[in-house]
Every structure is written in structure tokens, then in C-alpha cells.
Amino acid sequence: MFKNFSKVFAFTFKNMANTKSFKSLTAFLALVLLIAPIVLFLLTTKDGKGETEDAALKTSGLESIYVVNQVSSSDVNFNALNTLAEDGYDNIVYVNEENLNTALKLSDEAANQGKKVAVLQLFSKDDSIETNLIVPDALADDEKEINNYNKFINKYSNIFAVMSLGLSTDQLMTIAMNTDVNSYDYTGYNTGISKNDKLNELDTETADSYVRDVIIKALKYIMPFVNLLLFYCMVLFYCQSVTQALVVEKQNKLMDTMLVSVKPEALAAGKVIGINCAAILQVVIWVLSLVVGLVSGVLITDHFRPGNTNPVIYFLKNLNRYDIFNPLYVVIAIMIFILGFVLYSSLSAIAGALSTTREEAASNNYIYNLVILASYFGVLFGVVLQGGTCPIWASLIPFTAALIVPGLALLGAISIGQLIASLAVSIVVSVILVILSGRLYRVTALFKGNKISFAKMLKIIFTSNS
């Protein structure tokens, strides 16, 4: 029955995988999946020590500042700024002056005596409060260092604005107080240790809890969608190739000669399996590229962002701590994915067997298009993707199982019994459809009559008579 199947398979696989479009698409997406994780990790991850270093202000070296507050007539004690405890800015003497000319004169005299001083002018402009820092000419050599005070003003701009309005020292200190927001679990509240503290220190218990509660929970929603879209695109793209490949042989005048050395079943099976293997090879290359990209992203980010607390990187580095990607589940998930693809390819082979021209093949594509669309919308709107679990009906119908079970199986979100049952049904239905498609192709290989109706197709399948 399957004489010379290997020759048809090898020819079809080579023909499919050797095309320029196949190679270009495979290489492009593989490169994207390889580079994207590295770029994303570097852009979204900060050095664990970098944040505190960046926040430190360089000292201005100022000893005194003459303040001219033109926003309010209230006598404000700007020495309260020293209580902010900013290193290098906590021991400056602030002297209030009523007008700018007096402040400039006093600052010049102090600068000529070797003191580091400046004039700070606060005034209103266009419904906002602005500041000018004026450095005496005698301190021109120190002007760059003194101007570091501008960064201090920018950091505490709200404090300066509030002070200039004339609030009392007590009111000012209340506003200047930082507000910390902490998240506690019950035990943490009693011990005074927040979840943020633990997570920032990469406390194992809290980090693992975060991964399970946030990352894995999110993956249970994301993975089925990825599975669904990937499978849907593969069916639409490759099943049409199966249909057309079978029709081409029918239109070939050498068909009579070919059928002497190659059985029709072998020809149909070789075409189907050859194209399937090319498609699966493409997906394998993409998955491997993504895995290498993720591993490289973790290593490179750890090198350039040492001490980072990125929870995704923590998750990837500690995959063995979680009940996901179980080897047995992974193998079964891959088998269900492949068998599902074989199912739809067999339907496309039936469409090709019923067609004698490319035009007929295009119209007969409804056979698998209707099934994939019904399965797609059944999964999408059948409360399958909302809870991160797989209903029994979706796992036992092989046409829907291929769209959702593999993604959930990788995350351990489906029981082993349900997974094995889904695999068994997929195997049985796949074998039946492959046999039926081969049988139909055998009977219709040399068919030259009118377009075969659905009723006639069923008659051919069950009676072998055309």
C-alpha cells in the first residue's frame, strides 16, 4: 500500500523546505526571537546598585545662601532645608534679604573674603514659581561646582515652591515627609517586613510566591493564546499547500506512469507527511531560537545589570523550582500538537482528492476551513481561555485539543489523566483520517468526471466505488 512512500516524502520535504520564501521566513523570525528577549531584558532591567548611585547629588560646596523671596512677604526660615538630610546640602546657612541688590552686595563681600556663597532668587512667573541662582564674579572658578545646587533645587522643587509661599516650619516639615507605601502579608505585618522589602532582596519565599501568583498565572492565560494563534496560522498556511500538491499530481500527464511505481495511498501520505515535517521543522527552529534568546538574555543582563531584581529573570533562572515544563507533559503536548496538524492536513488531503483542478481545490478548502474556524471560535468563546484551565470537552475533541491542550500541558495546568485521554483520542482520529484520505485519493486519483459532491465523497469512502 505504501510502496515508495519514502521517495515521495523526501521529494516533497525537499521541495517545501528548499524554497526561498520558506528559508527567508524561517531565518527572519528565528533572528527576531533570538534578539528580542536580550533587548527587552536590557531595556526593562536596572542594575541593583545603579539606582541609588544615580540618585546621589554632587556637593555644591556652598557655605551660605542669601535668599530673596519675591513670592511671599512671609518670613520663611529656609534653614529648614537642612533637615532634608541630603548629603552635602545639610549644613548651609540661609540668610533672608528683602531686595536683590542688597543680597548681591553682601554675597560679593563674602566672596571676596574667600567664602563660597550665592544668591537664590524666588519669584512668580506665568502661574509658576521660578528660581535664579546667582554666583558672585569672584567665585567664577567655582561656578561649575556651585551650580550643582540647581540639581538640589530640581530634586526638591516642590519643597522650594511650598516654602516660598510662606508656610511655617512645622507645616513645611509635614509636607516634606516622604510617604512610603508597603504591601504586607499577615505574617509580614506582624514582623514589620513588607513584600516589597523581601522582593527587592530576592527573598526566595516571597519571590517564589510572586512568580506563582503573577507570572505563572499570567502564562496560563498567555500560553493558550500563543498555542491557538500559532496552530491557526500553520493550518491556514500549510494545509493549502497540501491540497495544491495533491491536485498538481492529478493534473500531471505522467500520473498514469507514476501510479505504476507509487501507490496512490503512498503518494498522498508522502505529500501530507512531507509538508507536515517541513512545517514542524520551521516551528522547532523558532522555538529553539526563542530558548537560546531567553538564556542569552538572562546571561547578558546578569553581566551588564548585576544585582538586578527582575522577576522574569528570576523566574527563568529558577524554572526547576516550579511545577511546569514537566518532561512527560512536554512530550505529550508536542505529540498532540503534531497529531492535530496531521488531522487538519488529512482534511486538506481529502479536499485535494476531491479536486481535479486548482480552482476546484481552492473551493474545496472549505472542508478544513470550516473545521478550523469552528474550533477556533469554540475555544475563543467557549469559556476555554478565561480560567487558565481546559474543559474536558475541549481536550477530548481532537480538533480543539490541538489548539489549546499543548499550551496548558507545558504549564502543568491539565491533569495527566485528561492529557492521556486527549492524546489517545487524537491518535485514533488521526489514524482514521489518514486512512480515509488515502483511500479517497486512491479511488479518485484518475477521476476525470464532474465535480464530486459531498454525498458522493461519503459513498467513495465507505464503498470504494466512484
Side-chain angles (χ1 to χ4, degrees):
M1 180 183 292
F2 292 102
K3 179 183 177 182
N4 289 328
F5 161 81
S6 58
K7 293 182 179 179
V8 178
F9 166 79
F11 175 79
T12 304
F13 177 81
K14 184 179 179 181
N15 238 19
M16 188 72 186
N18 238 3
T19 61
K20 188 176 180 180
S21 60
F22 182 93
K23 292 179 179 177
S24 300
L25 180 62
T26 304
F28 174 74
L29 280 182
L31 189 62
V32 170
L33 292 170
L34 181 65
I35 296 175
I38 301 173
V39 175
L40 286 174
F41 285 161
L42 288 175
L43 290 177
T44 59
T45 303
K46 293 183 179 180
D47 191 323
K49 300 178 181 178
E51 191 172 339
T52 55
E53 292 174 355
D54 292 341
L57 292 175
K58 294 181 180 179
T59 182
S60 66
L62 285 170
E63 300 171 42
S64 300
I65 294 180
Y66 294 93
V67 182
V68 181
N69 182 12
Q70 298 174 342
V71 178
S72 170
S73 59
S74 301
D75 188 18
V76 180
N77 184 7
F78 282 87
N79 286 291
L81 291 169
N82 292 322
T83 60
L84 294 173
E86 185 72 49
D87 190 28
Y89 296 86
D90 54 358
N91 198 28
I92 299 175
V93 177
Y94 293 87
V95 180
N96 290 341
E97 295 295 337
E98 291 186 1
N99 62 74
L100 184 60
N101 290 332
T102 302
L104 292 173
K105 181 180 179 181
L106 292 172
S107 65
D108 282 337
E109 292 174 356
N112 290 329
Q113 294 173 10
K115 296 180 180 180
K116 281 191 177 182
V117 297
V119 174
L120 178 64
Q121 180 189 24
L122 297 99
F123 58 98
S124 299
K125 182 180 180 181
D126 298 330
D127 296 326
S128 65
I129 296 173
E130 298 194 9
T131 60
N132 288 331
L133 185 68
I134 305 170
V135 181
D137 292 337
L139 299 177
D141 294 339
D142 300 311
E143 184 174 359
K144 185 176 180 180
E145 181 184 12
I146 292 173
N147 280 332
N148 285 330
Y149 191 85
N150 286 318
K151 295 180 181 179
F152 176 70
I153 296 174
N154 289 332
K155 185 173 181 179
Y156 297 102
S157 58
N158 290 336
I159 303 297
F160 276 88
V162 170
M163 288 187 71
S164 66
L165 294 173
L167 293 185
S168 66
T169 302
D170 291 340
Q171 290 172 319
L172 172 67
M173 295 316 300
T174 301
I175 293 174
M177 292 172 63
N178 291 325
T179 301
D180 295 325
V181 179
N182 295 309
S183 174
Y184 294 92
D185 53 28
Y186 186 78
T187 304
Y189 182 77
N190 290 330
T191 58
I193 302 175
S194 71
K195 285 188 175 182
N196 292 335
D197 293 335
K198 290 182 179 181
L199 190 59
N200 288 335
E201 295 171 4
L202 276 184
D203 173 84
T204 302
E205 181 182 352
T206 303
D208 286 347
S209 175
Y210 179 86
V211 166
R212 289 191 177 93
D213 294 344
V214 179
I215 296 180
I216 294 181
K217 187 176 180 180
L219 283 176
K220 286 181 180 179
Y221 285 89
I222 295 171
M223 285 292 286
F225 272 108
V226 173
N227 182 176
L228 179 67
L229 292 175
L230 176 62
F231 192 89
Y232 182 76
C233 292
M234 285 181 65
V235 168
L236 291 185
F237 183 76
Y238 286 105
C239 285
Q240 187 175 358
S241 298
V242 173
T243 305
Q244 294 295 335
L246 291 174
V247 172
V248 165
E249 302 301 347
K250 281 190 173 187
Q251 290 182 313
N252 197 321
K253 292 182 180 180
L254 297 177
M255 186 62 156
D256 295 352
T257 306
M258 288 178 61
L259 293 180
V260 174
S261 58
V262 181
K263 294 292 184 181
E265 293 93 334
L267 187 65
K271 293 286 182 182
V272 170
I273 304 302
I275 293 174
N276 279 9
C277 286
I280 291 165
L281 173 64
Q282 195 173 51
V283 174
V284 168
I285 292 174
W286 291 339
V287 171
L288 289 177
S289 296
L290 178 60
V291 171
V292 173
L294 290 171
V295 173
S296 302
V298 170
L299 295 176
I300 292 172
T301 304
D302 276 345
H303 177 75
F304 289 103
R305 304 281 192 273
N308 71 78
T309 56
N310 189 320
V312 176
I313 292 179
Y314 178 87
F315 163 69
L316 292 173
K317 289 166 68 175
N318 295 275
L319 275 177
N320 60 325
R321 301 174 65 90
Y322 315 111
D323 299 326
I324 59 176
F325 299 111
N326 179 295
L328 176 61
Y329 280 43
V330 170
V331 171
I332 296 177
I334 293 172
M335 290 178 66
I336 291 176
F337 189 91
I338 293 174
L339 287 170
F341 195 55
V342 170
L343 280 174
Y344 284 98
S345 295
S346 298
L347 290 178
S348 65
I350 290 175
L354 295 176
S355 309
T356 56
T357 65
R358 290 178 179 270
E359 291 74 18
E360 281 188 18
S363 64
N364 285 335
N365 280 341
Y366 75 88
I367 293 175
Y368 67 84
N369 278 334
L370 287 178
V371 178
I372 187 64
L373 285 173
S375 301
Y376 178 85
F377 288 111
V379 169
L380 202 60
F381 299 109
V383 199
V384 178
L385 300 177
Q386 295 179 13
T389 57
C390 183
I392 294 177
W393 70 265
S395 63
L396 294 183
I397 300 175
F399 297 105
T400 57
L403 274 69
I404 187 172
V405 171
L408 290 173
L410 295 176
L411 300 175
I414 185 171
S415 67
I416 185 65
Q418 191 175 354
L419 198 58
I420 291 175
S422 178
L423 177 62
V425 173
S426 295
I427 291 174
V428 172
V429 177
S430 296
V431 171
I432 291 173
L433 273 183
V434 168
I435 293 173
L436 288 179
S437 62
R439 185 173 187 177
L440 185 63
Y441 190 79
R442 174 173 60 83
V443 177
T444 62
L446 299 175
F447 183 81
K448 302 295 182 182
N450 297 327
K451 184 177 179 180
I452 300 175
S453 65
F454 182 76
K456 192 167 186 177
M457 178 192 76
L458 294 178
K459 180 182 177 183
I460 291 171
I461 290 175
F462 292 108
T463 66
S464 298
N465 296 319
S466 58

